[in-house]
Amino acid sequence: MPAEWRDFVALTKPRVMTLVVFTGLCGLLVAPGHIAPILGFTAILCIALGAGAAGALNQWYEADRDARMKRTAARPLPAGRMDRESALHFGVGLSFFSVLLMGFATNWFAACILAVSILFYVFVYTIWLKPRTAQNIVIGGAAGAFPPLIGWAAVTGDVAALPFALFMLIFFWTPPHFWALALFVRMDYANAGIPMLPVVAGERVTRRQILFYTSIMAAAAMAPVLLELTGLVYGLTAFIATAIFAVMAFQVSLSRETDPAKMIPERRLFKYSVLYLFLIFGAVVVDHWVYAA
């Protein structure tokens, strides 16, 4: 694969896209009704392309900031392997293509939600919130919470209580997930002038906020069971996985480590938080299959 194509792929943030695609796929699989396999595949492809488009536009807008962060300095734009105009055209073109394909392949309601998710990530989170407020990831977390709604809507043409509950779970999962990362890359954000919570409020406040939002996330994780939207399989998985998450968040809240290289609980929580979302959403699908049978 030529280097320039690898750079275009890198613009889409493929590692982030994996989780986006998985949660969207789970929303599609648990939706009532039927969708032809080829159309279902197309819907998930559109979610992936939309996420990739948002990632490309994010990197286009933040190229200067990325150049000041060790974690992102090797990306195509700050590394000088691509010009910003190409990234902009790629992101805009991919956005329109993903939304139009979703509309023609499934329905325009799902396409509209996909369009809103792209616009929210680019304009609300990247351009407005991220450079202005330490609460950027709290409100901006909605951007990554749309895929279950989109997957569900691709099948049904509407939304319901279960996909909305999954949306809220991702929404409240986002702050502890990203703040755990921000604790051990705090200097990167400081050098780039991004007001992440550890930069403007300090590490102790961030650790307390991680524990606080974890408690809200725990309630959101159990909501599908309490509302009788899911069964025992999901309930047990969510209870155990969330309890592990809470213990890790509590360990982070007790930590007073200031050396990023020694922030073991923070790194452990960040890594587990990704696995956690895979476990929770996988449990939703398994639970659906068990009780549907």
Side-chain angles (χ1 to χ4, degrees):
M1 185 183 293
E4 58 268 31
W5 286 107
R6 286 197 295 270
D7 291 333
F8 278 107
V9 171
L11 279 182
T12 66
K13 299 185 178 181
R15 291 178 64 184
V16 176
M17 188 192 298
T18 303
L19 196 53
V20 169
V21 169
F22 184 73
T23 56
L25 174 62
C26 291
L28 182 144
L29 291 175
V30 301
H34 173 75
I35 186 171
I38 187 63
L39 296 182
F41 173 80
T42 303
I44 299 305
L45 175 63
C46 290
I47 293 174
L49 294 177
L57 292 171
N58 170 269
Q59 291 188 56
W60 160 75
Y61 187 79
E62 294 193 326
D64 294 336
R65 294 194 197 111
D66 284 347
R68 298 196 294 270
M69 298 175 64
K70 181 180 179 181
R71 188 171 62 91
T72 57
R75 286 176 174 175
L77 291 173
R81 299 193 305 270
M82 181 185 296
D83 62 274
R84 295 185 67 173
E85 185 177 7
S86 296
L88 175 61
H89 291 168
F90 177 70
V92 171
L94 206 58
S95 298
F96 277 99
F97 178 74
S98 64
V99 171
L100 290 175
L101 182 59
M102 178 70 86
F104 284 115
T106 61
N107 59 76
W108 290 104
F109 183 69
C112 285
I113 302 176
L114 178 60
V116 169
S117 70
I118 297 171
L119 294 172
F120 190 96
Y121 185 78
V122 175
F123 290 99
V124 177
Y125 172 65
T126 301
I127 296 178
W128 180 36
L129 293 172
K130 191 173 182 180
R132 288 177 173 83
T133 172
Q135 297 299 307
N136 47 25
I137 206 64
V138 177
I139 306 169
F146 282 104
L149 291 175
I150 301 170
W152 180 285
V155 178
T156 66
D158 59 19
V159 294
L162 179 56
F164 183 73
L166 298 177
F167 173 95
M168 296 306 298
L169 172 59
I170 299 175
F171 181 80
F172 290 117
W173 164 89
T174 303
H177 167 71
F178 274 101
W179 283 337
L181 169 68
L183 281 169
F184 58 85
V185 297
R186 183 179 65 84
M187 289 309 300
D188 255 7
Y189 287 118
N191 292 336
I194 299 174
M196 291 296 284
L197 192 62
V199 177
V200 301
E203 294 168 347
R204 294 187 67 177
V205 171
T206 303
R207 290 187 169 102
R208 288 199 297 267
Q209 288 294 301
I210 286 175
L211 187 60
F212 173 71
Y213 275 95
T214 297
S215 65
I216 302 176
M217 183 205 75
M222 299 310 298
V225 181
L226 299 176
L227 296 173
E228 299 183 348
L229 302 173
T230 56
L232 186 61
V233 173
Y234 172 83
L236 287 175
T237 304
F239 180 79
I240 295 171
T242 304
I244 295 172
F245 195 116
V247 169
M248 290 185 177
F250 183 67
Q251 292 173 338
V252 169
S253 72
L254 295 178
S255 174
R256 295 295 179 265
E257 185 59 63
T258 58
D259 183 356
K262 298 179 181 178
M263 291 185 180
I264 305 302
E266 293 81 357
R267 293 176 185 272
R268 187 186 299 123
L269 176 61
F270 175 72
K271 291 179 181 179
Y272 176 73
S273 65
V274 177
L275 174 62
Y276 172 80
L277 218 56
F278 278 108
L279 290 173
I280 290 291
F281 275 79
V284 173
V285 175
V286 174
D287 185 274
H288 172 76
W289 286 342
V290 168
Y291 287 97

